[in-house]
Coordinates of all heavy atoms in Angstrom, one line a residue:
G102 N -39.5 3.0 -27.2 CA -39.1 3.0 -28.6 C -39.8 1.8 -29.4 O -41.1 1.7 -29.3
E103 N -39.1 1.0 -30.1 CA -39.7 -0.1 -30.8 C -39.7 -1.4 -30.1 O -40.1 -2.4 -30.6 CB -39.0 -0.3 -32.2 CG -39.2 0.9 -33.1 CD -38.6 0.6 -34.5 OE1 -37.7 -0.2 -34.6 OE2 -39.0 1.3 -35.4
T104 N -39.2 -1.4 -28.8 CA -39.2 -2.6 -28.0 C -40.5 -2.6 -27.2 O -40.9 -1.7 -26.5 CB -38.0 -2.6 -27.0 OG1 -36.8 -2.4 -27.8 CG2 -37.9 -3.9 -26.3
I105 N -41.2 -3.8 -27.3 CA -42.5 -3.9 -26.7 C -42.5 -5.1 -25.7 O -41.9 -6.1 -25.9 CB -43.5 -4.3 -27.8 CG1 -43.7 -3.1 -28.8 CG2 -44.9 -4.7 -27.3 CD1 -44.3 -3.4 -30.1
F106 N -43.2 -4.8 -24.6 CA -43.2 -5.8 -23.5 C -44.7 -6.1 -23.2 O -45.6 -5.2 -23.2 CB -42.6 -5.2 -22.2 CG -41.2 -4.8 -22.3 CD1 -40.8 -3.7 -22.9 CD2 -40.2 -5.7 -21.8 CE1 -39.4 -3.3 -23.0 CE2 -38.9 -5.4 -21.9 CZ -38.5 -4.2 -22.5
S107 N -45.0 -7.4 -23.0 CA -46.3 -7.8 -22.7 C -46.3 -8.8 -21.6 O -45.5 -9.7 -21.5 CB -47.0 -8.5 -23.9 OG -46.2 -9.6 -24.4
S108 N -47.3 -8.7 -20.6 CA -47.4 -9.7 -19.5 C -48.7 -10.5 -19.8 O -49.6 -10.1 -20.5 CB -47.5 -8.9 -18.2 OG -48.6 -8.0 -18.2
S109 N -48.7 -11.6 -19.1 CA -49.8 -12.6 -19.5 C -50.2 -13.4 -18.3 O -49.5 -13.6 -17.3 CB -49.3 -13.5 -20.6 OG -50.2 -14.5 -20.9
R110 N -51.4 -14.0 -18.5 CA -51.8 -15.0 -17.5 C -51.0 -16.3 -17.6 O -51.2 -17.2 -16.7 CB -53.3 -15.3 -17.8 CG -54.3 -14.2 -17.4 CD -55.7 -14.6 -17.6 NE -56.1 -15.6 -16.6 CZ -56.4 -15.3 -15.3 NH1 -56.5 -14.1 -14.9 NH2 -56.8 -16.3 -14.5
D111 N -50.2 -16.4 -18.6 CA -49.3 -17.6 -18.7 C -48.1 -17.5 -17.8 O -47.1 -18.3 -17.9 CB -48.9 -17.9 -20.1 CG -48.0 -16.8 -20.7 OD1 -47.5 -15.9 -20.0 OD2 -47.8 -16.8 -21.9
K112 N -48.0 -16.4 -16.9 CA -47.0 -16.2 -15.9 C -45.7 -15.6 -16.4 O -44.7 -15.5 -15.7 CB -46.7 -17.5 -15.1 CG -47.9 -18.2 -14.5 CD -47.5 -19.5 -13.9 CE -48.7 -20.4 -13.5 NZ -48.3 -21.7 -12.9
T113 N -45.7 -15.2 -17.7 CA -44.5 -14.7 -18.3 C -44.6 -13.3 -18.7 O -45.7 -12.7 -18.9 CB -44.1 -15.6 -19.5 OG1 -45.0 -15.3 -20.6 CG2 -44.0 -17.0 -19.2
I114 N -43.5 -12.7 -19.0 CA -43.4 -11.4 -19.7 C -42.5 -11.6 -20.9 O -41.4 -12.1 -20.9 CB -42.7 -10.3 -18.8 CG1 -43.4 -10.1 -17.5 CG2 -42.6 -9.0 -19.5 CD1 -42.7 -9.4 -16.4
K115 N -43.1 -11.2 -22.1 CA -42.4 -11.4 -23.3 C -42.0 -10.1 -23.9 O -42.6 -9.1 -23.7 CB -43.2 -12.2 -24.3 CG -43.4 -13.7 -23.9 CD -44.1 -14.5 -25.0 CE -44.3 -15.9 -24.5 NZ -43.0 -16.7 -24.3
V116 N -40.9 -10.1 -24.7 CA -40.3 -8.9 -25.3 C -40.3 -9.1 -26.8 O -39.9 -10.1 -27.3 CB -38.9 -8.6 -24.8 CG1 -38.4 -7.3 -25.3 CG2 -38.8 -8.7 -23.3
W117 N -40.8 -8.1 -27.5 CA -41.0 -8.1 -28.9 C -40.2 -6.9 -29.5 O -40.1 -5.9 -28.9 CB -42.4 -8.1 -29.4 CG -43.3 -8.9 -28.5 CD1 -43.9 -8.5 -27.3 CD2 -43.7 -10.3 -28.7 NE1 -44.7 -9.6 -26.8 CE2 -44.6 -10.6 -27.6 CE3 -43.5 -11.2 -29.7 CZ2 -45.2 -11.9 -27.5 CZ3 -44.0 -12.5 -29.6 CH2 -44.9 -12.8 -28.5
Q118 N -39.8 -7.0 -30.8 CA -39.2 -5.9 -31.5 C -40.0 -5.6 -32.7 O -40.2 -6.5 -33.6 CB -37.7 -6.3 -31.9 CG -36.9 -5.1 -32.3 CD -36.6 -4.1 -31.1 OE1 -36.4 -4.6 -30.0 NE2 -36.6 -2.8 -31.4
A119 N -40.5 -4.4 -32.8 CA -41.4 -4.0 -33.9 C -40.7 -4.0 -35.2 O -41.3 -4.3 -36.2 CB -42.0 -2.6 -33.6
S120 N -39.4 -3.8 -35.2 CA -38.7 -3.7 -36.5 C -38.1 -5.1 -36.9 O -37.5 -5.2 -38.0 CB -37.5 -2.7 -36.4 OG -36.6 -3.1 -35.3
K121 N -38.3 -6.1 -36.1 CA -37.8 -7.4 -36.4 C -38.8 -8.3 -37.0 O -39.9 -8.4 -36.5 CB -37.2 -8.1 -35.1 CG -36.6 -9.4 -35.3 CD -36.1 -10.1 -34.0 CE -35.5 -11.4 -34.3 NZ -35.0 -12.1 -33.0
A122 N -38.5 -8.9 -38.1 CA -39.4 -9.8 -38.8 C -39.7 -11.0 -38.0 O -38.9 -11.4 -37.1 CB -38.9 -10.2 -40.2
G123 N -40.8 -11.7 -38.2 CA -41.1 -12.9 -37.5 C -42.1 -12.7 -36.3 O -42.3 -11.5 -35.9
N124 N -42.6 -13.8 -35.8 CA -43.6 -13.7 -34.8 C -43.0 -14.2 -33.4 O -43.8 -14.3 -32.4 CB -44.8 -14.6 -35.2 CG -46.0 -14.4 -34.3 OD1 -46.3 -13.3 -34.0 ND2 -46.6 -15.5 -33.9
E125 N -41.7 -14.4 -33.3 CA -41.2 -14.9 -32.1 C -40.7 -13.8 -31.2 O -40.2 -12.8 -31.7 CB -40.0 -15.8 -32.4 CG -40.4 -17.1 -33.2 CD -41.3 -18.0 -32.4 OE1 -41.1 -18.1 -31.2 OE2 -42.3 -18.5 -33.0
P126 N -40.9 -13.9 -29.9 CA -40.3 -12.9 -28.9 C -38.8 -12.9 -29.0 O -38.2 -14.0 -29.2 CB -40.9 -13.3 -27.6 CG -41.2 -14.8 -27.7 CD -41.6 -15.0 -29.1
I127 N -38.2 -11.8 -28.7 CA -36.7 -11.8 -28.6 C -36.2 -12.2 -27.3 O -35.1 -12.6 -27.1 CB -36.2 -10.4 -29.0 CG1 -36.7 -9.3 -28.0 CG2 -36.6 -10.0 -30.4 CD1 -36.1 -7.9 -28.2
S128 N -37.1 -12.2 -26.3 CA -36.8 -12.8 -25.0 C -38.0 -13.0 -24.1 O -39.1 -12.4 -24.4 CB -35.8 -11.9 -24.2 OG -36.3 -10.6 -24.0
T129 N -37.9 -13.8 -23.1 CA -39.0 -14.1 -22.2 C -38.5 -14.0 -20.7 O -37.5 -14.6 -20.4 CB -39.6 -15.5 -22.5 OG1 -40.1 -15.6 -23.8 CG2 -40.8 -15.8 -21.5
F130 N -39.2 -13.3 -19.9 CA -38.9 -13.2 -18.5 C -39.8 -14.2 -17.7 O -41.0 -14.1 -17.8 CB -39.1 -11.8 -18.0 CG -38.3 -10.7 -18.6 CD1 -38.6 -9.4 -18.4 CD2 -37.2 -11.1 -19.4 CE1 -37.8 -8.4 -19.0 CE2 -36.4 -10.1 -19.9 CZ -36.7 -8.7 -19.7
E131 N -39.2 -15.1 -17.0 CA -39.9 -16.1 -16.2 C -39.5 -16.0 -14.7 O -38.3 -15.7 -14.5 CB -39.7 -17.5 -16.7 CG -40.2 -17.7 -18.1 CD -39.9 -19.1 -18.6 OE1 -38.7 -19.4 -18.7 OE2 -40.9 -19.8 -19.0
G132 N -40.4 -16.2 -13.8 CA -40.1 -16.1 -12.4 C -41.3 -16.0 -11.5 O -41.4 -16.5 -10.4
H133 N -42.3 -15.2 -12.1 CA -43.6 -15.1 -11.3 C -44.3 -16.5 -11.3 O -44.3 -17.2 -12.3 CB -44.5 -14.1 -11.9 CG -44.1 -12.7 -11.5 ND1 -44.2 -12.2 -10.3 CD2 -43.7 -11.6 -12.3 CE1 -43.8 -10.9 -10.2 NE2 -43.5 -10.6 -11.5
R134 N -45.0 -16.8 -10.2 CA -45.6 -18.1 -10.0 C -47.1 -18.1 -10.4 O -47.7 -19.2 -10.6 CB -45.4 -18.5 -8.5 CG -44.0 -18.7 -8.1 CD -43.9 -19.2 -6.7 NE -44.4 -18.2 -5.7 CZ -43.7 -17.1 -5.3 NH1 -42.5 -16.8 -5.8 NH2 -44.3 -16.2 -4.5
L135 N -47.7 -16.9 -10.6 CA -49.0 -16.8 -11.0 C -49.1 -15.7 -12.1 O -48.1 -15.2 -12.5 CB -50.0 -16.5 -9.8 CG -50.1 -17.5 -8.7 CD1 -50.9 -17.0 -7.5 CD2 -50.8 -18.8 -9.3
V136 N -50.4 -15.4 -12.5 CA -50.6 -14.5 -13.6 C -49.8 -13.2 -13.3 O -49.9 -12.6 -12.2 CB -52.1 -14.2 -13.8 CG1 -52.8 -13.9 -12.5 CG2 -52.3 -13.1 -14.8
V137 N -49.1 -12.6 -14.3 CA -48.5 -11.3 -14.2 C -49.5 -10.3 -14.6 O -50.0 -10.2 -15.7 CB -47.2 -11.3 -15.1 CG1 -46.5 -9.9 -14.9 CG2 -46.3 -12.4 -14.9
T138 N -49.8 -9.5 -13.6 CA -50.9 -8.5 -13.8 C -50.5 -7.1 -14.1 O -51.3 -6.3 -14.5 CB -51.8 -8.5 -12.5 OG1 -50.9 -8.3 -11.4 CG2 -52.5 -9.7 -12.3
A139 N -49.2 -6.8 -13.9 CA -48.8 -5.4 -14.1 C -47.3 -5.3 -14.5 O -46.5 -6.0 -14.0 CB -49.0 -4.6 -12.8
I140 N -47.0 -4.4 -15.4 CA -45.6 -4.1 -15.8 C -45.5 -2.6 -16.1 O -46.5 -2.0 -16.6 CB -45.2 -4.9 -17.1 CG1 -46.1 -4.7 -18.2 CG2 -45.0 -6.4 -16.7 CD1 -45.7 -5.3 -19.5
D141 N -44.3 -2.1 -15.9 CA -44.0 -0.7 -16.4 C -42.5 -0.6 -16.4 O -41.8 -1.3 -15.8 CB -44.6 0.4 -15.5 CG -44.8 1.7 -16.2 OD1 -44.8 1.7 -17.5 OD2 -44.8 2.8 -15.6
L142 N -42.0 0.4 -17.2 CA -40.6 0.6 -17.5 C -40.2 2.0 -17.0 O -41.0 3.0 -17.0 CB -40.3 0.5 -19.0 CG -40.6 -0.9 -19.6 CD1 -41.4 -0.8 -20.9 CD2 -39.3 -1.6 -19.8
N143 N -38.9 2.1 -16.6 CA -38.3 3.4 -16.4 C -38.1 4.2 -17.7 O -38.4 3.6 -18.8 CB -37.0 3.3 -15.6 CG -35.9 2.6 -16.4 OD1 -36.1 2.0 -17.4 ND2 -34.7 2.7 -15.8
E144 N -37.7 5.4 -17.6 CA -37.8 6.3 -18.8 C -36.8 5.8 -19.9 O -37.2 6.0 -21.1 CB -37.5 7.7 -18.4 CG -38.6 8.3 -17.5 CD -38.2 9.8 -17.1 OE1 -37.1 10.2 -17.4 OE2 -39.1 10.4 -16.5
D145 N -35.7 5.2 -19.6 CA -34.8 4.8 -20.7 C -35.0 3.3 -21.0 O -34.3 2.8 -21.9 CB -33.3 5.1 -20.3 CG -32.9 4.3 -19.1 OD1 -33.6 3.5 -18.6 OD2 -31.8 4.6 -18.6
G146 N -35.9 2.7 -20.4 CA -36.2 1.3 -20.7 C -35.3 0.3 -20.2 O -35.3 -0.9 -20.6
T147 N -34.3 0.6 -19.4 CA -33.3 -0.3 -18.9 C -33.8 -1.2 -17.7 O -33.3 -2.3 -17.4 CB -32.1 0.4 -18.4 OG1 -32.4 1.4 -17.4 CG2 -31.4 1.1 -19.6
L148 N -34.9 -0.7 -17.0 CA -35.4 -1.5 -15.9 C -36.9 -1.7 -16.1 O -37.6 -0.8 -16.6 CB -35.2 -0.7 -14.6 CG -33.8 -0.5 -14.2 CD1 -33.7 0.4 -12.9 CD2 -33.1 -1.9 -13.8
L149 N -37.4 -2.8 -15.8 CA -38.8 -3.2 -15.8 C -39.3 -3.6 -14.4 O -38.6 -4.4 -13.8 CB -39.1 -4.2 -16.8 CG -40.6 -4.6 -17.0 CD1 -40.9 -4.9 -18.5 CD2 -40.9 -5.9 -16.2
F150 N -40.4 -3.1 -14.0 CA -41.0 -3.4 -12.7 C -42.3 -4.2 -13.0 O -43.1 -3.8 -13.8 CB -41.3 -2.2 -11.9 CG -41.6 -2.4 -10.4 CD1 -40.5 -2.3 -9.5 CD2 -42.8 -2.6 -9.9 CE1 -40.7 -2.5 -8.2 CE2 -43.0 -2.8 -8.6 CZ -42.0 -2.7 -7.7
S151 N -42.5 -5.3 -12.3 CA -43.6 -6.2 -12.6 C -44.3 -6.6 -11.3 O -43.7 -6.6 -10.2 CB -43.3 -7.4 -13.4 OG -42.4 -8.3 -12.6
G152 N -45.6 -6.9 -11.4 CA -46.3 -7.4 -10.2 C -47.3 -8.5 -10.6 O -47.6 -8.7 -11.8
S153 N -47.6 -9.3 -9.7 CA -48.4 -10.6 -10.0 C -49.3 -10.9 -8.8 O -49.3 -10.3 -7.7 CB -47.4 -11.7 -10.1 OG -48.0 -13.0 -10.1
R154 N -50.2 -11.9 -9.1 CA -51.1 -12.3 -8.1 C -50.4 -13.3 -7.2 O -51.0 -13.9 -6.2 CB -52.3 -13.0 -8.8 CG -53.2 -12.0 -9.5 CD -54.5 -12.7 -10.0 NE -55.4 -13.1 -8.9 CZ -56.2 -12.2 -8.3 NH1 -56.3 -11.0 -8.7 NH2 -57.0 -12.7 -7.3
D155 N -49.1 -13.5 -7.4 CA -48.4 -14.3 -6.4 C -47.9 -13.5 -5.2 O -47.0 -14.0 -4.5 CB -47.2 -15.0 -7.1 CG -46.2 -14.1 -7.7 OD1 -46.3 -12.8 -7.4 OD2 -45.3 -14.5 -8.4
N156 N -48.4 -12.3 -5.1 CA -48.0 -11.4 -4.0 C -46.6 -10.8 -4.1 O -46.1 -10.2 -3.2 CB -48.1 -12.0 -2.6 CG -49.5 -12.5 -2.3 OD1 -50.5 -11.9 -2.8 ND2 -49.6 -13.7 -1.6
C157 N -46.0 -10.9 -5.3 CA -44.6 -10.5 -5.5 C -44.6 -9.3 -6.5 O -45.3 -9.3 -7.4 CB -43.7 -11.6 -6.0 SG -43.2 -12.8 -4.7
V158 N -43.6 -8.4 -6.2 CA -43.2 -7.5 -7.2 C -41.7 -7.8 -7.6 O -41.0 -8.3 -6.7 CB -43.3 -6.0 -6.8 CG1 -44.7 -5.6 -6.6 CG2 -42.5 -5.8 -5.4
R159 N -41.3 -7.6 -8.8 CA -40.0 -7.9 -9.3 C -39.4 -6.8 -10.1 O -40.1 -6.0 -10.8 CB -40.0 -9.2 -10.2 CG -40.1 -10.5 -9.4 CD -40.1 -11.7 -10.4 NE -40.1 -13.0 -9.7 CZ -39.0 -13.7 -9.6 NH1 -37.8 -13.2 -10.0 NH2 -39.0 -14.8 -8.9
L160 N -38.1 -6.7 -10.0 CA -37.3 -5.7 -10.8 C -36.4 -6.5 -11.8 O -35.7 -7.4 -11.4 CB -36.5 -4.8 -9.9 CG -35.7 -3.7 -10.6 CD1 -36.7 -2.6 -11.2 CD2 -34.8 -3.0 -9.6
W161 N -36.5 -6.1 -13.1 CA -35.8 -6.8 -14.1 C -34.8 -5.9 -14.8 O -35.1 -4.7 -15.0 CB -36.7 -7.4 -15.2 CG -37.9 -8.2 -14.6 CD1 -39.0 -7.7 -14.1 CD2 -38.0 -9.6 -14.6 NE1 -39.8 -8.8 -13.7 CE2 -39.2 -9.9 -14.0 CE3 -37.1 -10.7 -15.0 CZ2 -39.6 -11.2 -13.8 CZ3 -37.5 -12.0 -14.8 CH2 -38.8 -12.3 -14.2
D162 N -33.7 -6.4 -15.2 CA -32.7 -5.7 -16.0 C -33.0 -6.0 -17.5 O -32.8 -7.2 -17.9 CB -31.3 -6.0 -15.7 CG -30.2 -5.2 -16.4 OD1 -30.5 -4.8 -17.6 OD2 -29.1 -5.0 -15.9
T163 N -33.5 -5.1 -18.3 CA -33.9 -5.4 -19.6 C -32.7 -5.5 -20.6 O -32.9 -6.1 -21.7 CB -34.9 -4.4 -20.2 OG1 -34.3 -3.1 -20.2 CG2 -36.2 -4.3 -19.3
T164 N -31.6 -5.0 -20.2 CA -30.4 -5.1 -21.0 C -29.8 -6.5 -20.9 O -29.1 -6.9 -21.8 CB -29.4 -4.0 -20.7 OG1 -28.9 -4.2 -19.3 CG2 -30.0 -2.6 -20.7
K165 N -30.0 -7.1 -19.8 CA -29.4 -8.5 -19.6 C -30.5 -9.6 -19.5 O -30.1 -10.7 -19.4 CB -28.6 -8.5 -18.3 CG -27.4 -7.5 -18.2 CD -26.7 -7.5 -16.9 CE -25.6 -6.5 -16.9 NZ -24.9 -6.5 -15.6
N166 N -31.7 -9.1 -19.6 CA -32.9 -10.1 -19.5 C -32.8 -11.0 -18.3 O -33.1 -12.2 -18.3 CB -32.8 -11.0 -20.8 CG -33.0 -10.2 -22.1 OD1 -33.6 -9.2 -22.1 ND2 -32.4 -10.7 -23.1
T167 N -32.5 -10.3 -17.1 CA -32.4 -11.0 -15.9 C -33.2 -10.3 -14.8 O -33.5 -9.1 -14.8 CB -31.0 -11.1 -15.4 OG1 -30.4 -9.8 -15.3 CG2 -30.1 -11.9 -16.4
S168 N -33.6 -11.1 -13.8 CA -34.3 -10.6 -12.6 C -33.3 -10.1 -11.6 O -32.3 -10.8 -11.3 CB -35.2 -11.7 -11.9 OG -35.7 -11.2 -10.7
I169 N -33.4 -8.8 -11.2 CA -32.5 -8.2 -10.2 C -32.9 -8.6 -8.8 O -32.0 -9.0 -8.0 CB -32.4 -6.7 -10.4 CG1 -31.9 -6.4 -11.9 CG2 -31.5 -6.1 -9.4 CD1 -32.0 -4.9 -12.2
S170 N -34.1 -8.4 -8.5 CA -34.6 -8.6 -7.1 C -36.1 -8.8 -7.1 O -36.8 -8.5 -8.1 CB -34.2 -7.5 -6.2 OG -34.7 -6.2 -6.7
E171 N -36.6 -9.3 -6.0 CA -38.0 -9.5 -5.8 C -38.4 -9.2 -4.4 O -37.6 -9.3 -3.5 CB -38.5 -10.8 -6.3 CG -38.0 -12.0 -5.4 CD -38.7 -13.3 -5.8 OE1 -39.9 -13.3 -5.8 OE2 -38.0 -14.3 -6.0
K172 N -39.7 -8.9 -4.2 CA -40.2 -8.7 -2.8 C -41.6 -9.3 -2.7 O -42.5 -8.9 -3.5 CB -40.2 -7.3 -2.4 CG -40.7 -7.0 -1.0 CD -39.8 -7.6 0.1 CE -40.3 -7.2 1.5 NZ -39.4 -7.7 2.5
E173 N -41.8 -10.1 -1.7 CA -43.2 -10.7 -1.5 C -43.8 -10.0 -0.3 O -43.2 -9.8 0.7 CB -43.1 -12.2 -1.3 CG -44.5 -12.8 -1.1 CD -44.5 -14.3 -1.0 OE1 -43.4 -14.9 -1.2 OE2 -45.5 -14.9 -0.8
V174 N -45.1 -9.6 -0.5 CA -45.8 -9.0 0.6 C -47.1 -9.7 0.8 O -47.9 -9.9 -0.2 CB -46.1 -7.5 0.4 CG1 -47.0 -6.9 1.5 CG2 -44.8 -6.7 0.2
S175 N -47.4 -10.2 1.9 CA -48.6 -11.0 2.2 C -49.9 -10.3 1.7 O -50.1 -9.1 2.0 CB -48.7 -11.4 3.6 OG -49.9 -12.1 3.9
R176 N -50.7 -11.0 1.0 CA -52.0 -10.5 0.5 C -51.9 -9.4 -0.5 O -52.9 -8.8 -0.9 CB -52.9 -10.1 1.6 CG -53.3 -11.2 2.6 CD -54.2 -10.8 3.6 NE -53.7 -9.8 4.5 CZ -54.3 -9.2 5.5 NH1 -55.6 -9.4 5.7 NH2 -53.8 -8.3 6.2
N177 N -50.7 -9.1 -1.0 CA -50.5 -8.0 -2.0 C -50.7 -8.5 -3.4 O -49.8 -8.7 -4.2 CB -49.1 -7.4 -1.9 CG -48.9 -6.2 -2.8 OD1 -49.9 -5.5 -3.2 ND2 -47.7 -6.0 -3.2
L178 N -52.0 -8.8 -3.8 CA -52.3 -9.2 -5.2 C -52.3 -7.9 -6.0 O -53.2 -7.1 -6.0 CB -53.7 -9.8 -5.2 CG -53.8 -11.3 -4.7 CD1 -53.6 -11.4 -3.2 CD2 -55.1 -11.9 -5.2
V179 N -51.2 -7.8 -6.8 CA -50.9 -6.6 -7.5 C -51.9 -6.4 -8.7 O -52.1 -7.3 -9.4 CB -49.5 -6.6 -8.0 CG1 -49.2 -5.3 -8.8 CG2 -48.5 -6.8 -6.9
S180 N -52.4 -5.2 -8.8 CA -53.3 -4.9 -9.9 C -52.7 -3.9 -11.0 O -53.0 -4.0 -12.2 CB -54.6 -4.2 -9.4 OG -54.3 -3.0 -8.7
C181 N -51.7 -3.0 -10.5 CA -51.2 -2.1 -11.5 C -49.9 -1.5 -10.9 O -49.8 -1.4 -9.7 CB -52.2 -0.9 -11.8 SG -51.7 0.2 -13.1
V182 N -48.9 -1.2 -11.8 CA -47.7 -0.5 -11.3 C -47.4 0.6 -12.4 O -47.6 0.4 -13.5 CB -46.5 -1.4 -11.2 CG1 -46.7 -2.5 -10.2 CG2 -46.1 -2.1 -12.5
K183 N -46.9 1.7 -11.9 CA -46.5 2.8 -12.8 C -45.2 3.5 -12.2 O -45.2 3.9 -11.1 CB -47.6 3.9 -12.8 CG -48.8 3.5 -13.7 CD -48.4 3.4 -15.1 CE -49.6 2.8 -16.0 NZ -50.8 3.7 -16.0
W184 N -44.2 3.6 -13.1 CA -43.0 4.3 -12.7 C -43.3 5.7 -12.6 O -43.9 6.3 -13.5 CB -41.9 4.0 -13.8 CG -40.6 3.9 -13.2 CD1 -39.8 4.9 -12.6 CD2 -39.8 2.7 -13.0 NE1 -38.6 4.4 -12.1 CE2 -38.6 3.0 -12.4 CE3 -40.0 1.3 -13.4 CZ2 -37.6 2.1 -12.1 CZ3 -39.0 0.4 -13.1 CH2 -37.8 0.8 -12.4
I185 N -42.8 6.4 -11.5 CA -43.1 7.8 -11.3 C -42.1 8.6 -12.2 O -40.9 8.4 -12.1 CB -42.9 8.2 -9.8 CG1 -44.0 7.4 -9.0 CG2 -43.1 9.7 -9.6 CD1 -43.9 7.6 -7.5
P186 N -42.7 9.5 -13.1 CA -41.8 10.2 -14.0 C -40.8 11.1 -13.2 O -41.0 11.6 -12.2 CB -42.8 11.1 -14.7 CG -44.1 10.4 -14.7 CD -44.1 9.7 -13.3
G187 N -39.6 11.2 -13.8 CA -38.5 12.0 -13.3 C -37.7 11.2 -12.2 O -36.8 11.8 -11.6
T188 N -38.1 10.0 -12.0 CA -37.3 9.2 -11.0 C -36.8 7.9 -11.7 O -37.4 7.4 -12.6 CB -38.1 8.8 -9.8 OG1 -39.1 7.8 -10.1 CG2 -38.9 10.0 -9.3
Q189 N -35.7 7.4 -11.2 CA -35.2 6.1 -11.6 C -35.4 5.0 -10.5 O -35.1 3.9 -10.7 CB -33.7 6.2 -11.9 CG -33.4 6.9 -13.2 CD -33.8 6.2 -14.4 OE1 -33.6 5.0 -14.5 NE2 -34.3 6.9 -15.4
T190 N -36.0 5.4 -9.4 CA -36.1 4.5 -8.3 C -37.4 4.4 -7.6 O -37.6 3.6 -6.7 CB -35.1 5.0 -7.2 OG1 -35.5 6.3 -6.7 CG2 -33.7 5.0 -7.7
R191 N -38.5 5.1 -8.1 CA -39.8 5.0 -7.4 C -40.9 4.6 -8.3 O -41.0 5.0 -9.5 CB -40.1 6.4 -6.8 CG -39.0 7.0 -5.9 CD -39.4 8.3 -5.4 NE -40.2 8.3 -4.2 CZ -40.8 9.3 -3.6 NH1 -40.7 10.5 -4.2 NH2 -41.5 9.2 -2.5
V192 N -41.7 3.6 -7.8 CA -42.8 3.0 -8.6 C -44.0 3.0 -7.7 O -44.0 2.6 -6.5 CB -42.4 1.6 -9.0 CG1 -43.6 1.0 -9.8 CG2 -41.1 1.6 -9.8

Side-chain angles (χ1 to χ4, degrees):
E103 293 188 338
T104 305
I105 293 162
F106 298 80
S107 58
S108 60
S109 170
R110 292 185 64 84
D111 66 12
K112 309 176 188 177
T113 71
I114 301 164
K115 292 188 181 294
V116 188
W117 320 86
Q118 194 67 39
S120 58
K121 182 181 178 180
N124 194 43
E125 296 299 317
I127 60 175
S128 60
T129 299
F130 297 167
E131 297 180 300
H133 282 295
R134 298 179 298 279
L135 293 173
V136 50
V137 185
T138 50
I140 54 172
D141 202 23
L142 296 134
N143 64 349
E144 292 179 354
D145 62 10
T147 57
L148 296 173
L149 181 140
F150 197 90
S151 66
S153 167
R154 293 188 68 85
D155 63 8
N156 300 327
C157 282
V158 291
R159 281 179 173 261
L160 185 66
W161 309 81
D162 184 330
T163 62
T164 65
K165 299 178 181 178
N166 299 330
T167 58
S168 176
I169 300 173
S170 56
E171 69 171 306
K172 179 67 176 181
E173 181 174 355
V174 178
S175 177
R176 296 184 297 177
N177 183 29
L178 282 72
V179 179
S180 59
C181 188
V182 298
K183 286 291 173 67
W184 217 288
I185 298 178
T188 74
Q189 287 291 320
T190 61
R191 304 180 86 189
V192 179

